Amino acid sequence: AAQHLEAKSGSLSLVANFTLANFGYIPYGRTLQLPLMRPDFKLELCSDEGMRLNGSALLVLRGECRFVEKARNGQRQGAGLLVVMDNVSRDSAVTMFADGYTEDITIPC
């Protein structure tokens, strides 16, 4: 089921419906406070973009590749958390699903 999030940071305001991925580390009962890396370009994270994130949360577009590929690429680049924003407007949130081996993904998604 979709959950609701409202967050403010300075002049940036975020209101979103979200779901957690069925893979990656989910820190239930914990609060995460990470800087949010929001690239000026439309990042889909379908390849290793060469960024070094030093534990920042990374906001990327849903785009063309699989969610698990985005998670692995973000983790390799040092993301502490991956936030995938849908690239189309929907009435409900999409669950990030992965089949197969995902135990190597250790960041929250």
Side-chain angles (χ1 to χ4, degrees):
Q3 300 176 51
H4 187 73
L5 169 72
E6 293 186 30
K8 285 188 175 185
S9 176
S11 62
L12 179 64
S13 179
L14 170 71
V15 177
N17 289 322
F18 72 96
T19 58
L20 300 172
N22 75 338
F23 57 88
Y25 170 69
I26 307 300
Y28 292 108
R30 293 185 50 210
T31 300
L32 296 177
Q33 293 184 347
L34 303 169
L36 178 64
M37 172 65 92
R38 186 177 54 114
D40 292 333
F41 53 93
K42 294 181 178 179
L43 180 65
E44 291 186 10
L45 205 58
C46 292
S47 65
D48 188 345
E49 301 287 337
M51 298 178 358
R52 295 296 163 240
L53 301 169
N54 299 322
S56 296
L58 180 62
L59 177 64
V60 298
L61 294 175
R62 183 174 179 193
E64 300 297 320
C65 62
R66 297 174 21 214
F67 294 124
V68 71
E69 186 177 344
K70 292 176 187 298
R72 285 187 178 116
N73 287 336
Q75 182 171 294
R76 275 194 293 268
Q77 294 176 40
L81 168 77
L82 183 68
V83 178
V84 180
M85 183 173 72
D86 209 337
N87 53 346
V88 297
S89 180
R90 299 178 194 277
D91 291 333
S92 61
V94 174
T95 299
M96 292 193 297
F97 178 79
D99 54 0
Y101 181 78
T102 59
E103 285 80 24
D104 61 319
I105 301 171
T106 58
I107 62 172
C109 301

